[in-house]
């Protein structure tokens, strides 16, 4: 049964801005090849990464990244592209996450939201790290009722996996769905088990009602997500609103969603300008947190069964905020600045692992870079690798 909710209160860290501490400047050590979002570059636009750890040979671990119309890219730990997968006709790959030890063969899979076709695509990962498409031919649409509705592109968007389940968000909507992966003879399909609608309008402390400024016909969507499977919690980034914490019970949403931190623009009135296709915001309403919209990529760096860190992208000012995994207490913030490779701007997706890897003895953080430079005058994107040791959490 679908669940509709209002804001829980008082939400954690939502009333006023928690302390920043010092903004750390960190440096990426490796970057992947530039992707170009033009005809010559195959309309490839980096977006969301996942880290697959090769348990038999850590040196052959892989970073898997979406490239939208360019499909999927697979990279080694040196940032070299080792595989490129084009989407099916009409496909556009948005987010990617991993399912490990699934099915009778206990195999690993990369799961992708195809926002162009409103489906999940599933890729088996073999021992060498090579991906093979095993999506069932009859895999259903995620949210659309028919192909005509797919054309409107209110389709599958953000993604986070846990166990044999995938939480998927719907583009231009506040809807989340849980989908159960189902193994067939030589393929994988899925079916929906629950849905939830986050709020689209909000009661402010001064009694006013606020709706985020968006293009007419759009609702405040969710993209960046991560599941803390040990805690049974989904963290969902509603781009123009807040980072939410939502309880999960196997294949169901339970309880009332709570806010971890609002965006800085929360409650600020705005007007959409159809000529610029941008929102012109008024004076700061003073109800928000630190995150500059959009709140985006979310990932967890575990240090124990329930301990570790939650990392979230503040896309509007190219910063990242770190929270205590257990309590959600704000800990620090950082920015990836130019060094041997350039820094990170306007990041969408992030992925972390605490597993020791060659060159990354305390684990690896991979960040999407929305403004890769230098690019020879062409717009490009890519992924940056960060040694976790460069982040000071003491």
């Amino acid at each position: 049964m679908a669940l509709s909710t209002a804001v829980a209160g008082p939400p954690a860290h939502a009333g006023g801005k928690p302390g920043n501490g010092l903004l750390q400047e960190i440096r990426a050590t490796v970057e992947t090849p530039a992707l170009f979002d033009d005809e010559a570059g195959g309309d490839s636009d980096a977006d969301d990464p996942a880290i697959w750890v090769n348990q038999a040979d850590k040196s052959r671990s892989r970073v898997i990244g979406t490239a939208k119309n360019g499909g999927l890219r697979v990279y080694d730990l040196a940032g070299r592209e080792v595989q490129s997968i084009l989407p099916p006709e009409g496909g556009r790959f948005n987010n990617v996450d991993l399912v490990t030890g699934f099915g009778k063969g206990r195999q690993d899979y990369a799961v992708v939201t195809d926002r162009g076709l409103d489906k999940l695509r599933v890729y088996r990962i073999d021992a060498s790290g090579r991906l093979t498409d095993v999506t069932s031919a009859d895999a259903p649409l995620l949210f659309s009722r028919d192909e005509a509705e797919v054309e409107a592109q209110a389709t599958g968007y953000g993604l986070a996996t846990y166990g044999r389940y995938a939480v998927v968000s719907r583009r231009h909507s506040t809807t989340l769905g849980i989908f159960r992966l189902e193994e067939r003879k030589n393929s994988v399909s899925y079916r929906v088990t629950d849905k939830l609608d986050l709020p689209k309008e909000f009661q402010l402390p001064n009694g006013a009602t606020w709706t985020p400024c968006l293009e007419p016909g759009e609702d405040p969507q969710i993209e960046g997500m991560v599941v803390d499977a040990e805690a049974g919690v989904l963290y969902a980034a509603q781009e123009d609103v807040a980072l939410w914490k939502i309880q999960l019970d196997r294949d169901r949403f339970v309880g009332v969603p709570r806010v971890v931190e609002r965006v800085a623009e929360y409650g600020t009135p705005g007007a959409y300008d159809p000529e610029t296709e941008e929102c012109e915001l008024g004076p700061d309403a003073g109800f928000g947190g630190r995150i500059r919209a959009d709140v985006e990529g979310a990932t967890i760096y575990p240090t124990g069964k329930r301990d570790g860190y939650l990392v979230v992208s503040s896309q509007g000012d190219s910063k990242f905020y770190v929270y205590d995994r257990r309590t959600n207490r704000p800990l620090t913030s950082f920015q990836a600045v130019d060094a041997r490779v350039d820094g990170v701007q306007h990041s969408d997706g992030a992925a972390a692992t605490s597993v020791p890897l060659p060159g990354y003895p305390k684990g690896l953080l991979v960040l999407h870079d929305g403004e890769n430079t230098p690019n020879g005058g062409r717009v490009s994107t890519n992924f940056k690798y960060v040694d976790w040791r460069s982040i000071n959490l003491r």
Side-chain angles (χ1 to χ4, degrees):
M1 178 182 296
L3 173 68
S4 183
T5 135
V7 181
H13 312 308
K17 297 174 175 61
N20 277 328
L22 291 175
L23 174 67
Q24 299 184 47
E25 292 188 347
I26 66 169
R27 291 157 178 79
T29 56
V30 171
E31 65 179 327
T32 61
L35 296 177
F36 295 95
D37 190 14
D38 55 22
E39 186 176 356
D43 296 322
S44 298
D45 185 7
D47 191 284
D48 186 52
I51 304 168
W52 176 73
V53 175
N54 188 325
Q55 298 296 342
D57 183 355
K58 299 294 194 302
S59 69
R60 303 190 73 176
S61 297
R62 297 288 185 255
V63 172
I64 303 166
T66 56
K68 297 185 180 173
N69 288 349
L72 278 182
R73 296 291 192 275
V74 184
Y75 307 100
D76 65 14
L77 292 180
R80 296 172 296 212
E81 183 182 298
V82 295
Q83 187 179 7
S84 176
I85 300 170
L86 290 177
E89 184 176 356
R92 183 174 172 85
F93 289 177
N94 207 72
N95 280 38
V96 60
D97 208 345
L98 304 178
V99 171
T100 58
F102 171 67
K104 291 181 180 178
R106 309 293 294 173
Q107 293 180 303
D108 295 347
Y109 296 86
V111 182
V112 179
T113 46
D114 185 341
R115 90 185 214 200
L117 300 176
D118 198 25
K119 293 190 175 186
L120 293 180
R121 299 211 69 84
V122 184
Y123 294 85
R124 185 178 62 243
I125 308 173
D126 68 22
S128 71
R130 188 165 186 81
L131 275 61
T132 302
D133 190 350
V134 294
T135 312
S136 293
D138 61 352
L141 298 176
L142 291 166
F143 298 105
S144 305
R145 290 170 293 184
D146 51 38
E147 292 299 331
E149 196 167 293
V150 173
E151 291 295 318
Q153 288 295 285
T155 48
Y157 200 57
L159 173 76
T161 59
Y162 64 104
R164 63 182 300 151
Y165 301 99
V167 181
V168 184
S169 66
R170 188 177 192 182
R171 186 168 178 254
H172 297 163
S173 164
T174 65
T175 299
L176 299 171
I178 298 177
F179 296 83
R180 175 187 168 99
L181 299 180
E182 298 187 330
E183 190 177 35
R184 305 284 176 83
K185 185 176 181 181
N186 294 304
S187 65
V188 178
S189 189
Y190 48 86
R191 62 178 177 84
V192 65
T193 62
D194 200 13
K195 288 185 179 179
L196 176 148
D197 293 314
L198 287 177
K200 60 183 70 175
E201 60 179 35
F202 305 87
Q203 188 82 26
L204 299 177
N206 63 4
T209 299
W210 173 73
T211 302
C213 177
L214 295 164
E215 185 173 342
E218 296 181 5
D219 288 330
Q221 68 187 12
I222 302 100
E223 183 176 11
M225 295 190 290
V226 65
V227 172
D228 186 339
E230 295 292 343
V233 166
L234 166 70
Y235 293 99
Q238 191 173 18
E239 295 177 350
D240 295 283
V241 180
L243 176 69
W244 294 88
K245 182 177 185 177
I246 304 167
Q247 294 293 327
L248 301 171
D249 183 4
R250 195 178 173 187
D251 61 354
R252 294 287 186 269
F253 299 106
V254 294
V256 179
R258 293 186 175 274
V259 170
V260 176
E261 186 169 346
R262 296 169 180 157
V263 297
E265 298 84 354
Y266 185 91
T268 299
Y272 180 77
D273 185 339
E275 291 190 8
T276 63
E277 298 184 342
E278 299 287 343
C279 282
E280 298 294 331
L281 298 183
D284 184 358
F287 300 128
R290 304 165 300 167
I291 301 170
R292 289 287 171 183
D294 297 345
V295 52
E296 283 283 356
T299 188
I300 289 174
Y301 177 93
T303 59
K305 188 172 182 179
R306 297 287 296 275
D307 295 317
Y309 308 100
L310 169 66
V311 181
V312 176
S313 169
S314 174
Q315 190 181 64
D317 58 6
S318 302
K319 296 177 183 177
F320 295 84
Y321 289 98
V322 183
Y323 306 83
D324 180 87
R325 177 186 174 195
R326 186 182 289 268
T327 66
N328 296 153
R329 178 173 60 89
L331 296 177
T332 190
S333 59
F334 64 84
Q335 194 167 29
V337 299
D338 291 348
R340 187 174 59 85
V341 300
D342 68 299
V344 171
Q345 291 80 40
H346 306 304
S347 184
D348 266 321
T353 180
S354 59
V355 175
L357 299 172
Y360 304 95
K362 292 294 184 180
L364 171 65
L365 175 66
V366 179
L367 304 173
H368 161 259
D369 181 8
E371 295 180 16
N372 178 55
T373 55
N375 54 27
R378 295 165 69 197
V379 174
S380 72
T381 55
N382 68 352
F383 299 100
K384 300 296 198 291
Y385 295 9
V386 175
D387 186 334
W388 186 263
R389 293 176 298 176
S390 66
I391 303 172
N392 183 7
L393 291 162
R394 287 187 247 176

